[in-house]
Amino acid sequence: MKKMSTSNVLIVGLKGLGCEIAKNVVLAGVKSVTLYDPSPVAISDLSSQFFLHQEDVGKPRAKVSAPRLAELNQYVPVSVLDQELTPEVIATFKCVVVTDLPQQQKLEISEAARQHNVCFISTETRGLFGYAFNDFGSEFLVIDPTGEEPLSGMVASIDQGQEGIVTSLDETRHGLEDGQFVTFSEVQGMTELNECEPRKVKVLGPYSFSIGDTTSLSAHKRGGLFKQVKMPVTQNFKSFKEALETPEFFFSDFAKFDRPAQLHVGFQALHAFAAANDGRMPRVGNDEDANEVIRLANEINDAWSQKTELDDKLLKQLAYQATGDLSPMVAVFGGLVAQEVLKACTGKFTPINNFMYFDALECLPVDFEPSEADLKPEGSRYDGQVAVFGRAFQEKLANYRGFLVGSGAIGCEMLKNWAMMGIASGENGVIHVTDMDTIEKSNLNRQFLFRPADVGQL
């Protein structure tokens, strides 16, 4: 918490994903959060940005969102950046998160962040697809890779030999892993080990491990305790520019082992398409635009040093959904990236190194082949969702009837997502909620629908 309280965070892009990240970071309690997004609110932003209202259309996103985010935590100042994103401005932050910018601007910000030792995170969601990327510099120190309590146990014997074999008392599993470190106390006989410098562990079995040469130490008589010592780990991150060419992937689903490399090429193809079309992403369900994305993807793949086999069907789905904006996907990546921000600020827990790609194509109905007309935007707040599932599906959601038991932290998130998706918004739709617990002050740091005035109420 001490490190978090000295960390300033900049979030670039205040559509749904940027707002979700900002919400989580503000609730967690960093020193300050600064927002940058001078773009005007569009009606389609309301599909996933829960702090925007219909009357905000046309106003700057960041200025509209800032006061509503500030209500979440009175101890975290939330401000709007009115300057350009120059290297000097970026250097004043501990972490910069970029969510909604052209690829070239992301590269410029990432280079400036790396030069000034500022942690850089890039993330996007496109319909049922998304990615997160971290560059925390060439020597980022992780002070506690797991966050778990240090292991400890009682010692039965310590061998006086080259390997220095330690055996646990009463065949109790020690739980250690190769490469971890331990120190000792209350050892009788081999007293040199008491409060010694941490010694590296080599696991020999569930009840024994080696600590290296003990031949020069006194003979062990009896007893003793071992305790794991958490040792800092230095991680080396590639720059965003370097990682685009030579990526490494964090796999979230081993059943889709071939997907990350394909999506890596696909997302670059989307940005190449946008750069060639004045920033416009492919039209939903449009075969002409989708075929152009596939052509660009093949060009990028042919020039890539790590060529991969591309699936045209997958790339076509990515192109079709490029303008899709789904509140549940935004919630998933908003939570994930907010955790990475806290890792960058504290050095606690192991961050994602390089890229993580994720898709949820299983959400599409079987044999789902909607027409371009069914996916076409009509100036509705649900256009981002219609672009993925079609208008007929949206009408079904509007007349959904649901019953939610519990409106705690998860319940609040569920209600928020349901509301953003338009569930039960039709004439025949209704949501019933029950939760007989009273709101406590401790709830305020994780349930964003509650305010201090609500404490004590049901």
Side-chain angles (χ1 to χ4, degrees), residues 43 49 60 97 155 164 177 183 216 221 224 240 272 277 287 290 293 314 346 352 411 444:
I43 188 68
Q49 220 280 37
V97 183
V155 173
E177 297 177 6
T183 189
S216 61
K221 291 182 179 178
F240 188 47
N277 290 274
D287 286 332
V293 169
L314 179 68
T346 63
I352 294 171
L444 300 180

Side-chain angles (χ1 to χ4, degrees), residues 243-261:
L244 284 173
E245 176 58 32
T246 57
E248 297 171 12
F249 302 116
F250 176 89
F251 291 94
S252 60
D253 187 348
F254 285 96
K256 301 177 179 178
F257 196 78
D258 60 334
R259 289 277 176 89

